[in-house]
Amino acid sequence: MTDVQSPPTQPQSSGTTATSSTRLVRLRYAAITVWALTLAVLTVTRVMSFDFLWILIAVGAGLVATSIGRRNPLLVVRDWLPFGLVLFAYESTRGVAAFLGMPTRWNLAVDADRWMFGVVPTVWLQEHLKHADPQWWEVITSAVYMSYFIVPYALAAWLWLRDRTSWRRFVTRFVVLFLLGLVGYILVPAAPPWAAAQCTQSQIADGPAFPACLKTSPDGVPNGGLLGTVTPREGGAAFTERISSRGWDVLHIGPVRDVVEVGQERSNQVAAIPSLHAGLTGLLAMFMWRRTRKLGRTLWVGYAAAMAFTLVYSAEHYVFDLILGWGLAALVMLGCGAAERWWSGRRAEKKGAGKPGSVDRVGQHA
């Protein structure tokens, strides 16, 4: 009886492999194109806001598209889940602070800035730079302010694609910084300059968490509220204004301003201490210092400085808030670095203890 044998399996040809690779590349580019167009449409139609969860979803979707043909897209969910948890906690701080009934600090940062500079820098800057209509430099400050919701996540995405070890270290520092910042927001709620300009001393005498004056305009508030009157040039308003997004009007890009302001309205209105805008941009400069050359270091430090100026000028933060944010970032860098060195040393000890003869040596010492 003749044996019937199955035909030998033919190895996959290099041409088939190349064709499959080409298809994946085309699929990846198509997915990236769809992602970019969808993001643009959501922004222009004002569906998307610059709150952190939206940003995380957008970055995650972009990474899934970019991962096609390179690595398992499901890794995006596994690796980026800590971001989602931390940002969810951030969105919950408003309710937690109100539940605990912690009094809002309205005068702490104002008094600290006056003690350091003799004036409130926000008031001084708006007196000397603000006009009735936004000027060209406010295009820069508005872009810098909005970049806070993009640059850190873009850097994290770039590191995730290029250097997973650096990505893990950056994510660890990012998460720790935000968690410690959240503790500050909950235990020490503090009003930013724009809010202080909308409220009088009598309205916040008992340290209310979310007084009605937060929903009003600084126009018509007696004596400029807690910050005092402003005497700007060129007919500007005689009070401190929140002007972090009005630079987009110069470029006639109203939808961008609307998206930013929607995100601001949804955020915790009394989360000024510490400034995570300053803390995170300072963390970027510190983290990238050893990973870039002279030009890169200059750009990252310059970015942190530009953010600091923007925050103070646009009445988003006091200088006191910035100092606390930078200090927190430095503490996180030092603490995470020490923890990583300790963990590496412990792993090296365990690896050494597992080598042949290590047990005998331990017994001899015992």
Side-chain angles (χ1 to χ4, degrees), residues 284-303:
L284 296 181
M286 297 176 200
F287 184 81
M288 297 302 294
W289 184 262
R290 294 183 178 180
R291 292 170 172 81
T292 54
R293 298 182 179 180
K294 185 175 181 180
L295 177 59
R297 294 173 181 177
T298 301
L299 292 176
W300 284 112
V301 172
Y303 175 54

Side-chain angles (χ1 to χ4, degrees), residues 7 38 61 71 77 97 109 121 138 172 201 299 304-305 337:
T38 302
R71 61 180 60 161
V77 179
E138 289 189 28
T172 299
Q201 192 66 47
L299 292 176

